[in-house]
Amino acid sequence: MRTRLKSIYFLASLALLIVTASCRTEEDLSIDPPAEETLVANTQTAALMQNVVMNDGSSDNIIDNASCLSIQFPVTVTVNGTTLQIDNEDDLDDIEDIFDEFDDDDDNIVISYPITIVLSDFTTVVINSDDELEDFVEDCFEDNFDDDDIECIDFQYPITAAAFNENNEQILSITINNDFEMYNFIDDLDEYAAVTIDFPITVILADGTTQIVNNIQELAMVIEDADDSCDEDDDNDYDDDDCDNCTTDLVTDFITQCTDWYIDELERNDNDLEDNYLGYFFTFNDDNTLLVTWDNGSQTESGTWSATGSGNEIVFEINIPGFNDINDAWTLHEIDNDDDDNELEFELRIGDDDELEFKNTCSGSGNVDDSNLVNALTSGDWYVTYFFDDTDETADFSDYVFNFATNNTATATNSSGSTNGAWSTVSGDTTPLGLILNFGTSIPLDELEDDWDVLEVTNDIIRLKDVSGGDGSEDFLTFERTPYNGGGTGNDNLINTLSDGLWFVASYTEDSDDQTTDYAGYELNFDSNGTVTASNGSTTNNGTWSVFNSGNEVMLNFGTAMPFQELNDDDWDVISSSDTEVVLQDVSGGGGGTDTLTLQKL
């Protein structure tokens, strides 16, 4: 059912409209409204003004694929299996993050109905299904079609207007505070003999600058000049404006602020090539030269880079002798500075398929706080006790002894001889610290070539994880001091650890929000049969739990019981475990937020 939103200021002014001759005095004077300030119904200027203030529905096209309507927040959507509550336009970035996470998957959104949509004239409609929504979407202009909405100019409020009757008597003074009120003000112009705007007024242009407008005629010219002066982003490519305001100066400042960028993604002709550049670091200089280093700095190559154009049309050209996978004229797709983990991303594309993405933490060669890992890794021999890549392939490495030297070289030795390799540390994709391994192309050691996220480091165990950039599958690698014996590996004893005694939530943080106090007084009892109870004496929450991937992951499910519902997850990563403490971590598939749960034994 459609509901016409009425302008509040007109209802509040009804009393002023009831004016009779008996109320007037001889001192009342007729006012002749100045023509240069008079706004007349059904004129070109009135239409232009209404087009400026009509509801712009393009900002949420990632959900509804329709620029002539918007969805009223909050709205709940399920994106690639992850449920999100969207409370404002900023939350739409969480949807984009999920879409951007993998390049080879099919993205989909399921809307939880009912929802309320707002049409271009601010009419609201309650929608109960996809079919009902589609009926309104079909009424919109096609994707990126030149519609009536003018988005390249805005009014600066408040704006004051006056209404006159047939006798040129001012009967109403109106203050307009937003686009909704302006739309209804123009819609009701024919209720008055004349309406004037209190000039001068200020308009805001697409580049953020302002302009003073002194009369009606000038206003019409300014609006017409502004129309089509910017990209209104009315198409349904949700991320086409990721670099809408980029300039070559911004690109230069961004790419030269840090040394040692590394390649996180490289796809050419449907081939993923980023693993070919593990351990390669790129430094872009402000004189348009660049330097590539690899093999821990022992190998170098010089090249050039350039940036031309503006906005979404900036071309970033790279030329490095011998680097044919990278050399090309790329289009700048996105510049991103993730404040949560201080990670910089610089993404380039050619067409819809080829992609090159550099990352950096501005810490130099990816060096984060890696002292514990380096000290453990470079002292003594290590053995692979768990390797999982779709299937358990640990036995393939059972006769290898690994040694990691302080000069970032490595050897893997078995009865057939030694294979040379290299290692280095970087910032992790889902953890603060990452470990790059490269033992060349010999089988099975080639399987270890990757940039691994570090889950746990002690003097006796190093546990690593990698999330595939293609299908999102997870690989696990564990090094220990004793050889693989064909039995249980990694953290398999975590089942026995958790099912032995009572535990409590020592800490729980959701992103940076500490919610530990919600679990005060609760004791957790993990039964070896896969059930778990959390009780504080008066309330008991029942759930299930399991340990899988050789103790590298934990599943918790407490159903809808609060507050333990917050802990529901099927892929908690085990960061560390001992007889008295277990630390779990989950990185969201959407915005990349990190949840950390620490359990301690009573």
Side-chain angles (χ1 to χ4, degrees), residues 251-465:
V251 169
T252 300
D253 291 343
F254 190 85
I255 200 69
T256 62
Q257 65 180 301
C258 309
T259 62
D260 299 308
W261 292 80
Y262 64 94
I263 293 177
D264 186 63
E265 292 185 34
L266 176 59
E267 184 172 351
R268 302 302 301 263
N269 299 317
D270 293 327
N271 295 313
D272 293 324
L273 305 176
E274 58 267 15
D275 287 349
N276 296 341
Y277 296 92
L278 292 173
Y280 285 72
F281 295 96
F282 299 75
T283 296
F284 297 86
N285 302 310
D286 55 14
D287 63 355
N288 294 109
T289 63
L290 68 86
L291 179 68
V292 188
T293 62
W294 66 99
D295 284 350
N296 303 298
S298 63
Q299 301 289 324
T300 64
E301 184 60 77
S302 299
T304 61
W305 69 274
S306 63
T308 56
S310 63
N312 292 305
E313 304 299 327
I314 290 180
V315 175
F316 192 89
E317 188 165 359
I318 300 174
N319 191 352
I320 312 168
F323 285 70
N324 295 332
D325 296 333
I326 300 170
N327 294 338
D328 218 322
W330 300 83
T331 298
L332 179 62
H333 179 70
E334 183 175 8
I335 288 177
D336 186 35
N337 186 353
D338 192 335
D339 293 332
D340 291 337
D341 55 14
N342 197 34
E343 186 173 66
L344 307 180
E345 298 179 0
F346 188 78
E347 186 176 341
L348 307 168
R349 290 189 180 180
I350 298 176
D352 295 329
D353 299 323
D354 290 357
E355 179 178 356
L356 171 60
E357 181 176 321
F358 292 98
K359 283 190 177 181
N360 208 323
T361 57
C362 284
S363 54
S365 296
N367 291 329
V368 291
D369 184 7
D370 60 1
S371 55
N372 289 338
L373 174 62
V374 172
N375 290 337
L377 193 68
T378 57
S379 61
D381 294 332
W382 292 93
Y383 302 85
V384 172
T385 59
Y386 185 60
F387 179 72
F388 181 88
D389 182 0
D390 295 330
T391 61
D392 190 335
E393 302 175 15
T394 311
D396 294 345
F397 303 90
S398 59
D399 61 343
Y400 280 94
V401 180
F402 292 84
N403 186 272
F404 299 90
T406 55
N407 66 354
N408 295 102
T409 62
T411 58
T413 304
N414 66 357
S415 57
S416 300
S418 295
T419 301
N420 295 322
W423 67 274
S424 59
T425 60
V426 293
S427 60
D429 290 327
T430 63
T431 61
L433 180 62
L435 175 64
I436 294 177
L437 298 177
N438 189 343
F439 285 92
T441 58
S442 63
I443 299 173
L445 297 174
D446 60 325
E447 296 285 345
L448 304 183
E449 183 180 342
D450 222 321
D451 51 344
W452 297 90
D453 292 318
V454 178
L455 296 178
E456 180 180 11
V457 175
T458 71
N459 189 53
D460 299 315
I461 187 171
I462 297 174
R463 292 191 306 106
L464 310 170
K465 169 186 175 181

Side-chain angles (χ1 to χ4, degrees), residues 549-562:
N549 274 332
S550 283
N552 289 287
E553 292 190 299
V554 172
M555 182 277 292
L556 294 175
N557 190 342
F558 284 91
T560 59
M562 293 296 291

Side-chain angles (χ1 to χ4, degrees), residues 565-582:
Q565 180 190 32
E566 297 291 332
L567 307 185
N568 291 349
D569 210 303
D570 59 4
D571 61 352
W572 283 101
D573 291 325
V574 180
I575 301 301
S576 64
S577 66
S578 68
D579 291 340
T580 58
E581 182 180 86
V582 175

